């Protein structure tokens, strides 16, 4: 088995989802080294974010629909940001 | 009935208060609040009237659901011709004042003329009289409310007033009720000041009577409240984090206008966000956010109550600001913060409090400061002119400018004219980030394309509350659309504009529309109001109101040329983020918008359209 290649990405959880980040977090952002090919859904699962709470999912500011999270592979340097259901105005 | 069927007409010149019946045919055609008050206004004033002259009128109006059991049914509206824009002005506020007007037995109050000396209106059920306000002139909104309650010996009196900004006719002065709620935009407070009307104090003990079918109404309002409670946005998101949760979202999307729209992302967005408001400060171990708050009848409770850091430079010698007070909402935090590059959350809360205290719209104020800072950066406005240094990012400059503007001191008089007049005076009209003279709110239309059309066509100048396509383009409500394309946006904007006119005219809060559609509002209106209120009728009423406002503006002298954006947004592409390389595609959207509106290419409703809508 060949060694899995790694890449760096940023993982951000906002509003009430912040609680799913490790306790020693600083702010809302974690820098992670993940396996190449890691999908959005992989990280949502890894941090135990309930699926229905991962409401607004952006990669580099672009919306990822729920149906694409399982196949959207992250690229090195990507910024993944997730919010629960929210609104403003 | 929903309506009390009674209008109070106050002639400030003559000093008289008279009762007249509500025009019930107009109520059927224009519903209430925004729609009905605008119908009265456009029928009674010359569209070309000077907004700050005695010939302009100002109407405070409730909707048929105001004061009822409908969730968020506490709204009232101030309608007039706006001095900031010269267009129709219609500003809507929550709190408890609107419901009190209904409880006193009135649907609306029409103010006309100009009082020879400062007065305030006191209404106690059927009794209405003008009282001397000489002792109140020069007082803040907060002190005015406290003084009136004290002299009437009634803490339950509800007060709407202007502060010093309104007295000085700051063109973005607002009318503040219940200390922290405001009819905020377009300078309705300056019109009130021009009439020497300091405040309106209401006491009503009649409750709401005349609901057409109270059993059906109880069911409809209960069902609709369940929809709000069960919805994750209105049931959890808004009460917990308030509107301010958008700061990081919009920044992440590259649509957070920064430093007078030079940039689309703010490096300190996180420091001025909802998350920052909830975090404990190192200085005193407390968070700025104390609790959330609700207006009359509201089951969402998005309001913020905050406490500033007592040791902050803005307030360390001013204990009167140390208590809990109205907190930052998203639009205010953006305008006072990102628009100027200021990342000091406590300074924003201070500026926000001064805006509430003296009655100023923080959006137009903050955005005008952004223009001043850009002109300072260019060397056009110097320290000699301004009296202070004002580079982007200076919390000290923000704090000083809010004081100067609120009290009409020094360069504050120029800021109080708004960015359009100020930038024109200093030779750079293109740097005013406004439409029809009113400053943008907190969404960059290069990254959220539909908002460009929303701003350009808004009847009261740049505004997010006339068609909040952010709901669809960012949040996926009711369906997700791509924020980076213009495709489908004309239809989306029209649909939002017409539906919002109905929400506003019903007397409820537009935030319900994060969970409700018109189909949730319709059974409530149909049970409350005489006549048959079908979905078709509501859609038509919304479209009629929009066209009526447009026709007033056209008659006031606006043309298709005014449905425009500053060149920065249509020629300078976004530098970073998902919209990198994009400008707003207004030129693509506007002709299609006119077509689906039934307007000519010059932006005039066709005779077919006016005939169809009975205008």
């Amino acid at each position: 088995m060949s060694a899995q290649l790694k890449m760096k990405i940023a993982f951000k959880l906002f509003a009430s989802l912040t609680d799913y980040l490790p306790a020693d977090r600083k702010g809302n952002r974690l820098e992670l080294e993940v396996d190449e090919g890691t999908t959005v859904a992989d990280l949502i699962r890894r941090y135990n974010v309930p699926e229905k709470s991962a409401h607004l999912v952006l990669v580099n500011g672009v919306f990822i629909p729920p149906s694409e999270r399982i196949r959207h592979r992250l690229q090195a340097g990507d910024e993944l940001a997730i919010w629960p259901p929210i609104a403003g105005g | 009935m929903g309506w009390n069927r009674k209008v109070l007409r106050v002639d400030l010149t003559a000093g008289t208060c008279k009762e007249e019946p509500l025009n019930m045919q107009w109520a059927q055609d224009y519903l209430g609040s925004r729609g009905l008050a605008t119908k009265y206004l456009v029928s009674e004033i010359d569209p070309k009237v000077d907004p700050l002259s005695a010939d302009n009128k100002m109407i405070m109006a409730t909707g048929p659901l105001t004061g009822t059991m409908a969730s968020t049914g506490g709204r009232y509206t101030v309608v007039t011709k706006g001095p900031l824009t010269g267009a129709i002005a219609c500003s809507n506020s929550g709190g408890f004042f609107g419901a009190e007007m209904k409880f006193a037995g009135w649907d609306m109050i029409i103010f006309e003329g100009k009082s020879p000396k400062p007065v305030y209106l006191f209404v106690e059920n059927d009794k209405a009289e003008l009282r001397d306000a000489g002792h109140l002139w020069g007082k803040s909104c907060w002190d005015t409310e406290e003084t009136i309650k004290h002299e009437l010996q009634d803490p339950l009196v509800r007060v709407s007033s202007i502060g010093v900004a309104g007295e000085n006719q700051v063109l973005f002065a607002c009318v503040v009720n219940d200390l922290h709620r405001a009819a905020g935009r377009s300078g309705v407070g300056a019109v009130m000041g021009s009439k020497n009307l300091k405040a309106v104090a209401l006491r009503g003990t009649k409750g709401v009577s005349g609901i057409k079918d109270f059993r059906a109404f109880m069911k409809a309002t209960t069902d609709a409240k369940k929809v709000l409670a069960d919805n994750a946005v209105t049931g959890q998101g808004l009460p917990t984090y308030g509107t301010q949760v958008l700061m990081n979202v919009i920044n992440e999307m590259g649509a957070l206008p920064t430093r007078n729209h030079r940039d689309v992302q703010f490096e300190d967005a996180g420091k001025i966000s909802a998350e920052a408001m909830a975090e404990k400060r190192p200085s005193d171990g407390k968070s700025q956010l104390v609790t959330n708050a609700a207006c009359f009848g509201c089951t969402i409770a998005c309001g913020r109550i905050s406490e500033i850091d007592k040791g902050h430079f803005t307030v360390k010698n001013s204990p009167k600001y140390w208590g809990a007070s109205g907190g930052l909402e998203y639009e205010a935090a953006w305008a006072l913060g990102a628009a100027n590059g200021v990342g000091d959350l406590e300074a924003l809360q201070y500026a926000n409090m001064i805006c509430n205290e003296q009655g100023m719209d923080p959006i137009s104020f903050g955005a005008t400061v952004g223009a001043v800072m850009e002109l300072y950066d260019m060397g056009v406005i110097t320290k000699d002119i301004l009296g202070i240094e004002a580079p982007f990012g200076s919390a000290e400059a923000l704090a000083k400018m809010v004081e100067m503007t609120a009290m009409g001191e020094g360069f504050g008089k120029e800021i109080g004219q708004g960015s359009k007049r100020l930038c024109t005076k200093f030779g750079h009209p293109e740097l005013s980030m406004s439409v029809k003279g009113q400053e943008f709110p907190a969404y960059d239309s290069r990254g959220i394309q539909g908002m460009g059309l929303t701003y350009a066509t808004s009847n009261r100048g740049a505004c997010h509350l006339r068609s909040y396509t952010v709901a669809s383009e960012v949040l996926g409500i009711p369906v997700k659309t791509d924020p980076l394309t213009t495709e489908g946006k004309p239809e989306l904007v029209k649909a939002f504009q017409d539906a919002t006119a109905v929400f506003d005219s019903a007397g409820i809060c537009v935030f319900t529309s994060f969970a409700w559609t018109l189909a949730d509002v319709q059974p409530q209106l149909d049970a409350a109001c005489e006549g048959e209120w079908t979905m078709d009728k509501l859609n038509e009423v919304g479209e009629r109101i929009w066209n009526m406002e447009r026709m007033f503006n056209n008659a006031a002298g606006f043309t298709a040329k005014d449905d425009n954006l500053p060149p920065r947004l249509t020629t300078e592409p976004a530098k970073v983020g998902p919209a990198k390389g994009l400008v707003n595609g207004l030129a693509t959207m506007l002709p299609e918008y006119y077509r689906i509106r039934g307007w000519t290419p010059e932006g005039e409703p066709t005779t077919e359209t006016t005939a169809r809508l009975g205008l």
Side-chain angles (χ1 to χ4, degrees):
Chain A
M1 204 169 94
S2 63
Q4 183 74 49
L5 291 171
K6 300 280 187 183
M7 61 180 182
K8 283 188 176 168
I9 60 118
F11 182 59
K12 300 186 249 191
L13 294 178
F14 291 99
S16 52
L17 301 187
T18 309
D19 295 343
Y20 293 96
L21 289 173
D24 60 349
R25 70 184 173 88
K26 280 195 179 137
N28 299 87
R29 189 172 187 275
L30 280 186
E31 289 200 10
L32 298 178
E33 197 168 73
V34 298
D35 292 341
E36 275 198 355
T38 299
T39 65
V40 168
D42 288 339
L43 281 181
I44 290 174
R45 266 197 305 273
R46 185 181 306 172
Y47 284 88
N48 300 314
V49 179
E51 207 167 306
K52 67 172 187 183
S53 299
H55 183 76
L56 179 61
V57 176
L58 305 180
V59 173
N60 302 326
V62 176
F63 178 69
I64 308 296
S67 60
E68 285 177 27
R69 292 175 195 168
I70 199 157
R71 55 177 174 266
H72 187 100
R73 293 178 194 285
L74 295 165
Q75 306 293 318
D78 273 356
E79 303 258 338
L80 169 61
I82 305 176
W83 285 263
I86 44 112
Chain B
M1 289 185 295
W3 304 275
N4 280 323
R5 296 173 168 246
K6 261 173 49 175
V7 174
L8 176 62
R9 187 175 292 274
V10 179
D11 183 334
L12 291 160
T13 308
T16 58
C17 300
K18 286 182 184 158
E19 176 188 329
E20 59 185 62
L22 185 72
N23 185 322
M24 292 308 294
Q25 182 55 52
W26 286 357
Q28 288 294 319
D29 293 340
Y30 298 93
L31 190 53
S33 198
R34 172 178 163 188
L36 190 53
T38 304
K39 176 62 179 170
Y40 269 85
L41 186 84
V42 304
S43 303
E44 295 190 11
I45 68 165
D46 177 351
K48 294 197 185 295
V49 72
D50 174 354
L52 296 176
S53 71
D55 291 335
N56 193 12
K57 298 190 183 188
M58 186 186 87
I59 303 177
M60 291 180 166
T62 63
L65 297 183
T66 307
T68 70
M69 289 185 66
S71 184
T72 77
R75 310 295 298 189
Y76 91 104
T77 298
V78 182
V79 176
T80 187
K81 181 175 175 179
L84 185 67
T85 57
I88 194 80
C90 169
S91 298
N92 177 309
S93 181
F96 297 81
F97 180 86
E100 200 74 17
M101 189 187 300
K102 207 69 175 287
F103 299 159
W106 305 95
D107 293 307
M108 65 169 78
I109 306 171
I110 301 176
F111 295 96
E112 53 193 33
K114 176 183 177 175
S115 172
K117 59 181 180 127
V119 290
Y120 78 93
L121 175 70
F122 175 53
V123 176
E124 188 176 26
N125 293 331
D126 297 330
K127 187 178 83 180
E129 63 185 36
L130 289 166
R131 295 185 168 191
D132 179 64
H135 62 303
L136 300 172
W137 207 253
K139 282 190 189 295
S140 70
C141 298
W142 297 352
D143 289 342
T144 298
E145 181 165 337
E146 189 182 330
T147 306
I148 288 175
K149 285 181 171 175
H150 183 76
E151 65 192 27
L152 294 173
Q153 286 293 292
D154 187 350
L156 293 177
V157 164
R158 299 295 179 183
V159 178
S160 267
S161 68
I162 55 168
V164 172
E167 293 175 11
N168 289 339
Q169 298 175 28
V170 165
L171 293 184
F172 46 79
C174 50
V175 180
V176 175
N177 60 288
D178 303 291
L179 302 177
H180 320 298
R181 312 311 309 176
R185 301 223 69 191
S186 310
V188 294
V191 174
M192 195 159 155
S194 76
K195 296 190 174 303
N196 273 329
L197 178 64
K198 179 66 180 175
V200 178
L202 302 174
R203 186 71 173 100
T205 56
K206 296 182 175 189
V208 173
S209 58
I211 295 294
K212 183 178 77 180
D213 180 343
F214 70 88
R215 280 179 195 279
F217 188 66
M218 288 287 283
K219 179 174 185 330
T221 54
T222 304
D223 289 350
K225 282 176 188 170
K226 186 165 185 328
V227 173
L228 293 178
D230 291 348
N231 182 283
V233 170
T234 49
Q236 297 151 35
L238 277 169
T240 309
Y241 283 94
T243 60
Q244 255 280 63
V245 76
L246 279 188
M247 188 68 73
N248 283 311
V249 177
I250 304 299
N251 191 52
E252 200 76 19
M253 291 181 63
L256 188 70
T258 300
R259 290 175 281 270
N260 206 34
H261 286 68
R262 276 182 173 176
D263 301 302
V264 295
Q265 283 183 327
F266 181 37
E267 60 281 3
D268 284 340
K271 293 184 186 169
I272 60 168
S273 64
E275 288 85 351
M277 284 172 71
E279 213 148 87
K280 290 188 170 40
R281 294 180 286 238
S283 54
D284 61 1
K286 295 177 180 172
S287 61
Q288 189 182 86
L289 180 68
V290 176
T291 185
N292 65 329
C295 300
F296 175 86
C298 176
T299 54
I300 301 175
C302 73
R304 304 289 94 184
I305 299 295
S306 292
E307 252 180 45
I308 198 166
D309 180 347
K310 298 176 181 64
H312 191 259
F313 77 88
T314 49
V315 296
K316 64 181 176 192
N317 297 319
S318 305
K320 74 168 175 166
Y321 299 111
W322 291 357
S325 190
L328 291 162
E329 313 288 348
Y330 172 59
E331 307 296 336
W334 162 78
L336 301 168
N340 310 311
V342 176
D344 179 340
L345 187 68
E346 304 302 324
L348 307 196
Q349 174 62 10
Y350 174 70
N352 196 51
M353 281 196 285
I354 301 297
C355 285
N356 284 340
E357 184 185 26
Q358 296 300 353
M360 294 197 298
D361 169 18
I363 301 179
S364 280
F365 164 73
T368 303
V369 169
V372 171
M373 287 183 171
E374 181 157 12
L375 290 165
Y376 182 88
D377 186 64
M378 293 160 64
V380 176
I381 292 179
T382 61
K383 187 182 170 189
D384 282 348
I385 296 171
L386 198 51
I388 55 171
E389 292 180 352
F392 279 122
S394 170
E396 291 78 7
L398 174 72
K400 189 66 192 159
M401 283 196 264
V402 77
E403 293 162 5
M404 289 159 67
T405 309
M407 303 312 289
E409 293 161 358
F411 196 78
K413 291 193 190 76
E414 303 288 349
I415 298 172
Q417 295 295 298
S419 67
K420 181 182 170 189
R421 289 167 179 82
L422 187 146
C423 290
T424 301
K425 179 171 178 176
F426 286 93
H428 288 277
E430 77 283 2
L431 294 183
S432 167
M433 294 298 118
S434 62
V435 175
K436 299 179 178 74
Q438 178 157 284
E439 290 73 15
F440 289 117
Y443 312 90
D444 195 297
S445 60
R446 291 167 288 198
I448 308 174
Q449 291 283 321
M451 290 307 285
L453 184 62
T454 286
Y455 296 149
T457 59
S458 164
N459 286 329
R460 68 168 186 177
C463 173
H464 59 296
L465 293 173
R466 287 297 173 271
S467 135
Y468 194 64
T469 63
V470 173
S472 169
E473 294 179 278
V474 177
L475 306 168
I477 302 169
V479 289
K480 184 75 176 72
T481 53
D482 183 352
L484 300 177
T485 72
T486 57
E487 203 177 325
K489 298 301 163 62
E491 291 83 357
L492 190 70
V493 168
K494 177 184 180 291
F496 268 89
Q497 287 173 338
D498 293 350
T500 303
V502 175
F503 277 81
D504 287 347
S505 300
I508 55 175
C509 177
V510 73
F511 280 10
T512 55
S513 67
F514 290 122
W516 291 350
T517 66
L518 274 187
D520 296 290
V521 181
Q522 181 268 332
Q524 301 181 69
L525 282 172
D526 191 49
C529 303
E530 70 182 51
E532 262 194 69
W533 289 85
T534 63
M535 285 296 289
D536 284 348
K537 179 168 171 172
L538 288 179
N539 284 319
E540 187 180 276
V541 165
E543 190 178 5
R544 181 180 295 124
I545 291 166
W546 190 265
N547 279 272
M548 167 177 62
E549 293 171 341
R550 175 74 180 193
M551 289 164 75
F552 175 84
N553 286 351
N554 286 346
F558 288 92
T559 69
K561 286 198 201 90
D562 300 298
D563 295 341
N564 211 344
L565 298 171
R568 175 161 285 170
L569 298 174
T570 53
T571 61
E572 295 178 24
K575 296 170 195 162
V576 293
K580 184 177 177 182
L582 278 184
V583 296
N584 185 264
L586 180 64
T588 309
M589 296 184 279
L590 196 59
E592 174 64 3
Y593 171 83
Y594 285 173
R595 194 188 64 74
I596 61 174
R597 271 264 171 237
W599 295 354
T600 68
E602 290 73 43
E604 302 267 357
T606 62
T607 48
E608 290 81 8
T609 300
T610 55
R612 177 170 60 79
L613 297 171
L615 285 163

